[in-house]
C-alpha cells in the first residue's frame, strides 16, 4: 500500500491588504466545495482571498507551508481505483481510500492573506511497476541495450517496504525493477535522462527487508560498475526516482554484464618493472570498481569516486624512481602506497597536471614493494592512460645536507644547474617556500654573504618554465626564510 505523497506548488504573489470583507463560500470545513474527479486535469479558478481560519477543534493546523490561516475547503470522492492526482499538490495511490470522501484545504504560503489559484483533481494511471511487489523484471544483457521507462504519476513506498534512498534528495515518486546478478558478479547499470535528473538506488534482499547497496545521484554515478562474486545469482532491486522531486521523469536504462580489468582489485595488482628509462605502457581503468576502505583508504586527492586499477613494483636499491602518467585531458590520477592490501600508508596522491609526473628519492624505500592505484578525476567511470616507472639519478644537491657551495665573484658569471629529477625536502627540514606555488622538485645551494651584506643573485632559465628561489638563514632543519622570489 502506498502512502499519500504531497508536493505543494504555490504561486508567489505581491502581498496586498484586504480593503473590505469578502464572502468566501467555502471558508469553513462544513461548507467545503464539492469537486468532481475528472478523467484528465481540467483546471478551475478559486481564491482564498478574504478567507479566515478554522479552529484546531475542527481541523489541526497543516504541518507544512508555514500555515498562518486564511484557508478554503474542498471535498471530493476518491475513484474506485484509488489513483488520483491533485494539481497544485501531489500524487496519491491508496486503494484503501476508494470511494472515501476526502477534504482538501488550500492556503497561502506563510500568509493569512489568501491567494488566487487554479485547481484540478483527476484520476491517473500509475506505472505498472509503481510498487516494489510489482517490480519489472529486467534481463542482464551482454551489451548495453537501453530501454525507455517513466516514473511519471508514480507514488512512494513506505519505509516499511524500503528505506528511503540516501541520495538525490528523495521525495518519492519511484518505480521498481528486479534483475538477477550474473554468475560472475560483474555488471553495470546505466541510466540517462533529460538534465540527468533521473536517480537510482540498488537494494539486496526483498520487499520489506532491504539493504541499500548503492545510491547514485551525481552524473558520474548514474553509470556504475559492480564486481562482487557474493552477489552472483542474487535477485537485486533497482528503484528509480527523480532528483529532489516526487513528479517522476522519463529515463533510459540498461543493465549488462561487464568484464572488469584484470587488475581491478588490489590483490590482483599488475606487476611492473622499474626501467632504466621511461618505457610507457598503455592501460585502462574502464569498467573497474572500487576497493573498500578496509583494503585501502580512499585517495585524498582527485575527487576520488571509485573505479580504480592497481599496480605493484619494487623500489630500486637507490630509492630513486619516477612515476609518469598521461591521459586525454590529464584526467588520470594516481595514489602511491607502502604496505600491503588491507594495511596501507599513502605516500603521495597526484592529481594536478604537475604532479602526475613525480620523483622519489628515499633510501628507506629501497627494495620495498609499493602499490600504485590509478583512477579518474572526479569520476568512477575509468579512463585510458599511459604509465611508466623508472629509476632516476637526482641532482647531487637534491637534499639540503648536500647543498652545492657557491663562491661570490666580482661580476655575474652564470654557471649551469638543473633541478630535473629533483625531489622534495621533508617538512622537518624546511617549510615550503612562500612563493612560486611550490610543489616540490628542489635543489640546494649555500654561500657566505659578504661582509658588506650587499650581493645580487641572478638566474637565467635555460628551459621552459620559471625557476623560483627561496633564501634562508640558519641550517637544515632550523631555517628562517628571508626572501622568496617567484
Amino acid at each position: 500500500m502506498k502512502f499519500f505523497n504531497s508536493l505543494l506548488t504555490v504561486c508567489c504573489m505581491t502581498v496586498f491588504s484586504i480593503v473590505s470583507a469578502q464572502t468566501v463560500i467555502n471558508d469553513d470545513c462544513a461548507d467545503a466545495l464539492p469537486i468532481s474527479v475528472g478523467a484528465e486535469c481540467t483546471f478551475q479558478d478559486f481564491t482564498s482571498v478574504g478567507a479566515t481560519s478554522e479552529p484546531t477543534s475542527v481541523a489541526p493546523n497543516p504541518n507544512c507551508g508555514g500555515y498562518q490561516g486564511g484557508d478554503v475547503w474542498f471535498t471530493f470522492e476518491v475513484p474506485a481505483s484509488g489513483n488520483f492526482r491533485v494539481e497544485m499538490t501531489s500524487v496519491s495511490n491508496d486503494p484503501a481510500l476508494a470511494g472515501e470522501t476526502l477534504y482538501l484545504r488550500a492556503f497561502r504560503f506563510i500568509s493569512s492573506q489568501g491567494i488566487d489559484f487554479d485547481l484540478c483533481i483527476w484520476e491517473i494511471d500509475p506505472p505498472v511497476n509503481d510498487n516494489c511487489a510489482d517490480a519489472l523484471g529486467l534481463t542482464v544483457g551482454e551489451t548495453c541495450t537501453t530501454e525507455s521507462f517513466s516514473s511519471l504519476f508514480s507514488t512512494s513506498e513506505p519505509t516499511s517496504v524500503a528505506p528511503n534512498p540516501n541520495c538525490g534528495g528523495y521525495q518519492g515518486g519511484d518505480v521498481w525493477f528486479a534483475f538477477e546478478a550474473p554468475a560472475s558478479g560483474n555488471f553495470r547499470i546505466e541510466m540517462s535522462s533529460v538534465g540527468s535528473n533521473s536517480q537510482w538506488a540498488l537494494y539486496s534482499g526483498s520487499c520489506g527487508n532491504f539493504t541499500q547497496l548503492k545510491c547514485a545521484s551525481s552524473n558520474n554515478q548514474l553509470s556504475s560498475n559492480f564486481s562482487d562474486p557474493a552477489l552472483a545469482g542474487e535477485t537485486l532491486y533497482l528503484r528509480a526516482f527523480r532528483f529532489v522531486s516526487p513528479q517522476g521523469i522519463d529515463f533510459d536504462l540498461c543493465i549488462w554484464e561487464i568484464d572488469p580489468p584484470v587488475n581491478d582489485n588490489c590483490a590482483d595488482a599488475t606487476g611492473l618493472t622499474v626501467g632504466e628509462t621511461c618505457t610507457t605502457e598503455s592501460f585502462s581503468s574502464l569498467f573497474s570498481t572500487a576497493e573498500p576502505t578496509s583494503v585501502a583508504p580512499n585517495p585524498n586527492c582527485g575527487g576520488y569516486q571509485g573505479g580504480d586499477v592497481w599496480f605493484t613494483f619494487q623500489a630500486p636499491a637507490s630509492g630513486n624512481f619516477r612515476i609518469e602518467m598521461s591521459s586525454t585531458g590529464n584526467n588520470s590520477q594516481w595514489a602511491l602506497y607502502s604496505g600491503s592490501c588491507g594495511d596501507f600508508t599513502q605516500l603521495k596522491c597526484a592529481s594536478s597536471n604537475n604532479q602526475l609526473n613525480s620523483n622519489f628519492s628515499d633510501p628507506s624505500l629501497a627494495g620495498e614493494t609499493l602499490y600504485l592505484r590509478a583512477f579518474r578525476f572526479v569520476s568512477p567511470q575509468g579512463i585510458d592512460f599511459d604509465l611508466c616507472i623508472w629509476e632516476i639519478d637526482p641532482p647531487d644537491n637534491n637534499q639540503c645536507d648536500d647543498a652545492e657551495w657557491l663562491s661570490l665573484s666580482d661580476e655575474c658569471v652564470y654557471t649551469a644547474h638543473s633541478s630535473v629529477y629533483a625531489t622534495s625536502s621533508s617538512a622537518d627540514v624546511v617549510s615550503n617556500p612562500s612563493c612560486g606555488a611550490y610543489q616540490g622538485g628542489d635543489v640546494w645551494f649555500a654561500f657566505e654573504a659578504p661582509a658588506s651584506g650587499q650581493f645580487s643573485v641572478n638566474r637565467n632559465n635555460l628551459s621552459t618554465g620559471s625557476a623560483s628561489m627561496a633564501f634562508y638563514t640558519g641550517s637544515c632543519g632550523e631555517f628562517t626564510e628571508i626572501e622568496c622570489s617567484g
Side-chain angles (χ1 to χ4, degrees):
M1 179 182 294
K2 290 286 186 97
F3 280 105
F4 189 80
N5 179 16
S6 65
L7 172 66
L8 208 58
T9 55
V10 181
C11 297
C12 293
M13 299 179 62
T14 303
V15 176
F16 57 91
S17 298
I18 300 174
V19 177
S20 61
Q22 178 177 342
T23 301
V24 181
I25 60 174
N26 57 338
D27 187 22
D28 298 323
C29 175
D31 300 317
L33 190 64
I35 293 182
S36 297
V37 176
E40 60 183 17
C41 178
T42 304
F43 280 114
Q44 300 179 66
D45 298 329
F46 301 100
T47 186
S48 60
V49 174
T52 60
S53 308
E54 283 287 65
T56 55
S57 60
V58 173
N61 289 343
N63 62 1
C64 70
Y67 177 78
Q68 294 188 12
D71 48 48
V72 289
W73 290 82
F74 304 88
T75 184
F76 61 95
E77 183 177 318
V78 176
S81 66
N83 305 324
F84 64 91
R85 178 175 173 92
V86 180
E87 297 193 19
M88 69 177 211
T89 91
S90 64
V91 178
S92 175
N93 177 4
D94 189 345
L97 295 175
E100 185 174 338
T101 298
L102 300 182
Y103 286 78
L104 182 71
R105 187 181 196 178
F107 56 96
R108 186 170 183 169
F109 181 70
I110 317 184
S111 174
S112 62
Q113 297 304 305
I115 193 169
D116 298 323
F117 59 92
D118 292 331
L119 175 66
C120 76
I121 304 176
W122 56 295
E123 187 170 6
I124 59 171
D125 187 15
V128 294
N129 57 337
D130 187 28
N131 297 318
C132 175
D134 300 316
L136 194 61
L138 296 177
T139 301
V140 177
E142 295 181 359
T143 60
C144 176
T145 305
T146 58
E147 296 181 77
S148 297
F149 301 99
S150 180
S151 58
L152 296 174
F153 307 135
S154 63
T155 59
S156 309
E157 285 285 26
T159 55
S160 60
V161 172
N164 288 344
N166 61 3
C167 74
Y170 176 79
Q171 294 188 13
D174 48 49
V175 289
W176 290 82
F177 303 88
F179 64 94
E180 184 178 313
S184 65
N186 304 324
F187 60 92
R188 178 176 172 88
I189 299 172
E190 295 191 24
M191 179 180 282
S192 61
S193 63
V194 175
S196 294
N197 281 324
S198 55
Q199 320 279 281
W200 57 259
L202 184 66
Y203 299 90
S204 63
S206 57
C207 303
N209 186 29
F210 277 135
T211 298
Q212 181 181 291
L213 300 178
K214 183 168 185 177
C215 191
S217 61
S218 70
N219 294 356
N220 289 327
Q221 294 179 342
L222 291 179
S223 297
S224 289
N225 305 317
F226 295 83
S227 179
D228 187 350
L231 296 177
E234 184 174 342
T235 297
L236 303 177
Y237 286 78
L238 187 74
R239 184 183 202 174
F241 57 99
R242 184 171 181 168
F243 179 72
V244 196
S245 173
Q247 295 305 304
I249 192 170
D250 296 322
F251 59 93
D252 293 328
L253 173 67
C254 76
I255 304 177
W256 56 294
E257 187 171 11
I258 59 172
D259 187 15
V262 293
N263 57 338
D264 185 30
N265 297 319
C266 175
D268 301 315
T270 296
L272 298 177
T273 301
V274 177
E276 296 181 359
T277 59
C278 176
T279 304
T280 58
E281 296 181 78
S282 297
F283 300 98
S284 180
S285 57
L286 296 175
F287 307 133
S288 62
T289 59
E291 285 284 30
T293 54
S294 59
V295 172
N298 288 344
N300 61 4
C301 74
Y304 176 79
Q305 293 189 14
D308 49 50
V309 289
W310 291 82
F311 303 90
T312 185
F313 64 94
Q314 184 176 331
S318 63
N320 304 325
F321 60 92
R322 177 177 172 89
I323 299 172
E324 295 192 21
M325 179 180 283
S326 62
S327 63
T328 301
N330 285 322
N331 280 324
S332 55
Q333 320 279 281
W334 57 258
L336 184 65
Y337 300 90
S338 63
S340 57
C341 304
D343 185 26
F344 277 135
T345 299
Q346 181 181 290
L347 299 178
K348 183 168 185 176
C349 191
S351 62
S352 70
N353 296 354
N354 290 327
Q355 294 178 340
L356 292 178
N357 299 333
S358 288
N359 304 318
F360 295 83
S361 179
D362 187 349
S364 69
L365 296 178
E368 185 173 342
T369 297
L370 303 178
Y371 285 78
L372 186 73
R373 184 183 203 173
F375 58 98
R376 184 171 181 167
F377 179 72
V378 195
S379 173
Q381 296 306 308
I383 193 170
D384 297 321
F385 58 94
D386 293 329
L387 173 67
C388 76
I389 304 177
W390 57 294
E391 187 172 11
I392 58 172
D393 187 14
D396 291 338
N397 57 338
N398 185 39
Q399 303 296 332
C400 176
D401 288 336
D402 300 315
E404 180 179 341
W405 186 263
L406 297 178
S407 299
L408 272 65
S409 60
D410 294 333
E411 59 182 346
C412 179
V413 179
Y414 283 113
T415 56
H417 302 277
S418 178
S419 59
V420 175
Y421 308 138
T423 60
S424 308
S425 296
S426 61
D428 59 350
V429 171
V430 63
S431 58
N432 289 345
S434 60
C435 70
Y438 177 80
Q439 293 190 15
D442 49 48
V443 289
W444 289 84
F445 302 90
F447 62 94
E448 183 178 333
S452 65
Q454 300 173 11
F455 60 92
S456 175
V457 178
N458 294 357
R459 72 172 188 269
N460 181 30
N461 300 321
L462 301 180
S463 60
T464 302
S466 179
S468 298
M469 302 181 294
F471 296 86
Y472 303 90
T473 59
S475 59
C476 301
E478 296 183 2
F479 277 133
T480 299
E481 183 185 288
I482 56 173
E483 178 74 19
C484 193
S485 171

